Each structure stands twice: as C-alpha cells, then as structure tokens.
Amino acid sequence: MIPIYLDVSNEVKRKINENVNCMFDFLMAICDGLSYEEILQDIFPSYILEVNHNKCVNAVKELYNITRDKFEREHLSPFLEWTLYHTITWWIDVADDIELDEIPRQECVSKDGRDLYDILNKAEKYLDFLFADWDFLYVEKLYAIYKRDSGIVEKVFHIDMERYIDLMPIDIQEEYKKNKCVVQSVKKEVDEQERLIVNSIWNFLQLEMLRAKKYEECNEVDLSDNIRNGLFLLFKREGLDIERESRAGYAVADLGELDFYIYCYEEGIYRQVAIGENKQWGAYKDSLGQLLGYMNHNTKFGFTIIYNKDTRLNTVLEGRKKILQEYNVDGKFKLVGEIEEMKDMTDVLRTCHENPEKTGAYFYLYHFVFNVCNPERAKAANVGRKRTRKRK
C-alpha cells in the first residue's frame, strides 16, 4: 500500500489504495492503447522522460503494484512521489466520467472522531493526505539553496539531496556529483596532525581571551608572538616546528613575511604543513590574499585569525562570511561547497578551495576570531567593581 497521512482505519486505507490503483489502471490502459511515450509526457518533464523512459514506465507499473499489495509503507521515494502526484492530477483532468468507489460515511471517521467524508471522497483532496510534504515538486529551488549552503538543506530542512537526484536534468546531476565528490574527498584528507594544530590554536585563543583587558593595548604582532610562544613546546612534542615572520610569497617590492609557518620532517623529508595570517578586522580581506599568496600546492592547509579590538562581534562575523562567499582572484580560490561551521568551536569557519596549480587538488582554510571587543561586558564589570569598592 502507498502511505496515507491520515489517522484512519486500515480498511479505509485499503479502499483509498484501491481508488489510486484505479487511476494507474486507467493510465496504463491509455498508454497501452496509444503509447507510453505520448501519454507520459503529461506525467514527466522531457528531461526525465527522454533520458529515463524505462524508469518512468517502471515507476508507473511499480505504483500500480504497490497499491495492490498489503505491505504498509512509511514513505515513497521522491521519484515515485512525483509519479503518484502527477498521475493523480492527470487523472483529475482527463477522467471526468469515471467515478471512484465511494467510502461510506460511517467509515470516514478519524480515530479522534473527525468527519472526513468530504476529504476522502474527492480525488482533489488525495493530494493533501497522500504526501507528507511536496519537496519533490521544488527540487530546482532546493538545489539552488544547496549550492549556496548545503548545510541549510541538510540541517534546517532535513533533506538529503541524493534522494532527489533522479528528478534533476543530466547536467545538473553531474554538477551535483562533482561538487559532492570534491567536498567528500577533501574531508577524507583531514588527518590527526591537522586536527591537532586547529584544536591547539582554538584552545590557546580561548584561554587568552579570558584576559581580554591585557590585549586592548597590544597590537597584532604581540598577539602573534604570544600564539607562537604558547604553541611552540606543544608542537615540538608532536614533531612540528612553528616559526614567525618567515620570508616567502609574492610581495610586490620584496619577499613577504609569514605570520605563522608550521612545518615538519617526516622520514627525512621536509613538509610544509600550514601557513597562517593574523590581522586586525579591517585588513581581513587583504590577509586572505596574503595567505593564499604564501601558500602553494605543497601546503596542507592555511588559517586566518581576525584580531578584533574595535568592532562589534556580530558585525565581524557577518562581514567575514560575506567576504568568504564572494572571494576569488580572477575566478581562482573561490569556495568549493559551503562554508562550514566547525563543530564545538564557536565562530570558527572552514572553507574549501581548489589549488590553481593542480586541478582536482583541494585544501582547507580555517578562520578564527580573537575578540577583545566586549563593551557591554566591560561596562558590567566596571559597575561590579564600583559596587565592591563602596561596600569596602
């Protein structure tokens, strides 16, 4: 049986399935009398029917058989939902002189006592209770959202785009598969070394932000020195070296200076692990350009740190995301997939980019914020101190 999203008896569900079976029986009879190619044009768009003719025919026959069996189903695939929905609308348009079997009034009562006679005996109403939702009708809109931010589709709408791929044109299917494979392949490359470095930077920044007052008068060089000193021994124990102000890159006048340069020796081989840039909020976009200029296809990943002293945190977070969404250099380095929010790390983002030197090779950038602009909390603390002095 096809699922029915009404709280009615199994006998009523069976009779509804019999009526839907009548619709498919009529559709198949018309197709056999004329041709499936001609009639199914009213059920499927051409980009599905012309490419997957057999799949369309099989979907019609499968639903015909589903409405005849006694197995209770919780849901149908989106492709079958599409077929069912458009078969019902087709039947309403063409079968004016065919009456569905009436369900007696005494049976048209929900388990909570509602009278459902007018709902259960009108074919138009079948569209309301044979579907939990109509997501399958809006695949193009869902995919447009997915391309901007797959997290919204997956985490907010709770939709797996993979289930809707059969309802996409072939070129869109290929685009979807390519983007999905890119993101998945990059995710698999994140190893324990990368996690250690990212976690260590996050942990150090969190500890130092507890001393925000100290950093109100410090500049970004002081912060970078403190980060390097705080991580130096930890990284040494893990076989990593972290340097400050290393010379590299493509600065116009001379070599630039990397804020952070992390490397190691593995089995006698020198390996670039990570490069990082720390800049105040107003220079964030420039720091992205510097970071990407310092990196090359041998660098495992990069990171940025925004040192925010003067701007409200929400403004920084919103502005950072907008810059990342729009960032590219002559079409290079633009986002692959969505901007990810790192789990358990507040305000840390991760972005994926393609190496311009090596097509098909990708890397991550991690984006941290070191925020010491907390005017409301500073004011609250000052008020508290004044009250403490008065009591003394």
Side-chain angles (χ1 to χ4, degrees), residues 125-361:
K125 297 295 184 181
Y126 278 33
L127 300 175
D128 296 329
F129 61 75
L130 292 183
F131 306 92
D133 56 61
W134 290 348
D135 293 339
F136 57 91
L137 296 178
Y138 305 104
V139 176
E140 71 282 0
K141 294 181 180 179
L142 290 172
Y143 184 63
I145 298 171
Y146 179 89
K147 287 202 295 184
R148 293 197 301 271
D149 189 342
S150 66
I152 294 177
V153 174
E154 294 168 355
K155 298 172 185 177
V156 178
F157 297 153
H158 305 291
I159 288 174
D160 179 5
M161 287 304 302
E162 190 74 22
R163 297 184 66 239
Y164 296 82
I165 191 168
D166 290 341
L167 294 173
M168 302 176 186
I170 291 297
D171 62 321
I172 301 300
Q173 291 185 30
E174 292 173 352
E175 179 183 84
Y176 166 77
K177 290 176 181 177
K178 178 182 177 182
N179 288 337
K180 183 177 181 181
C181 288
V182 164
V183 174
Q184 286 182 336
S185 65
V186 173
K187 286 181 179 178
K188 292 177 183 177
E189 294 173 4
V190 176
D191 55 23
E192 290 303 318
Q193 185 183 68
E194 187 166 328
R195 290 190 185 93
L196 169 72
I197 294 171
V198 172
N199 291 350
S200 299
I201 294 170
W202 157 259
N203 292 336
F204 182 85
L205 294 179
Q206 296 311 297
L207 290 171
E208 289 302 292
M209 276 192 283
L210 293 174
R211 303 189 292 165
K213 187 68 177 176
K214 163 189 169 183
Y215 284 96
E216 288 180 354
E217 303 303 323
C218 292
N219 59 32
E220 58 198 35
V221 174
D222 297 323
L223 174 59
S224 294
D225 286 342
N226 288 343
I227 293 171
R228 184 266 181 187
N229 294 338
L231 298 177
F232 180 78
L233 291 178
L234 171 63
F235 284 2
K236 272 292 186 183
R237 288 197 296 270
E238 301 295 332
L240 295 164
D241 283 290
I242 178 170
E243 291 186 3
R244 287 268 296 116
E245 305 294 354
S246 295
R247 306 292 297 281
Y250 295 90
V252 175
D254 199 353
L255 289 175
E257 294 181 337
L258 287 67
D259 286 345
F260 304 101
Y261 182 52
I262 303 172
Y263 61 95
C264 68
Y265 289 91
E266 293 179 350
E267 299 179 356
I269 302 296
Y270 165 81
R271 301 189 188 282
Q272 300 177 28
V273 179
I275 290 173
E277 281 294 306
N278 170 37
K279 292 290 185 292
Q280 292 198 37
W281 164 234
Y284 176 62
K285 188 172 182 179
D286 293 336
S287 73
L288 276 175
Q290 285 182 286
L291 177 64
L292 293 168
Y294 292 146
M295 295 176 68
N296 60 44
H297 64 283
N298 292 315
T299 312
K300 185 182 288 185
F301 70 96
F303 62 92
T304 65
I305 300 172
I306 294 174
Y307 185 11
N308 180 49
K309 299 169 64 176
D310 308 307
T311 307
R312 289 189 176 276
L313 181 58
N314 280 344
T315 302
V316 173
L317 298 178
E318 292 171 5
R320 176 183 63 169
K321 198 164 188 177
K322 186 174 187 297
I323 289 171
L324 289 171
Q325 287 171 333
E326 298 175 352
Y327 191 84
N328 74 89
V329 179
D330 296 331
K332 303 294 184 182
F333 301 113
K334 59 186 179 181
L335 283 177
V336 175
E338 76 280 4
I339 297 175
E340 298 179 74
E341 295 184 6
M342 294 297 291
K343 185 179 180 181
D344 300 327
M345 295 186 188
T346 308
D347 301 332
V348 180
L349 302 180
R350 179 167 67 180
T351 54
C352 176
H353 308 264
E354 185 175 29
N355 276 312
E357 305 94 344
K358 192 174 180 181
T359 302

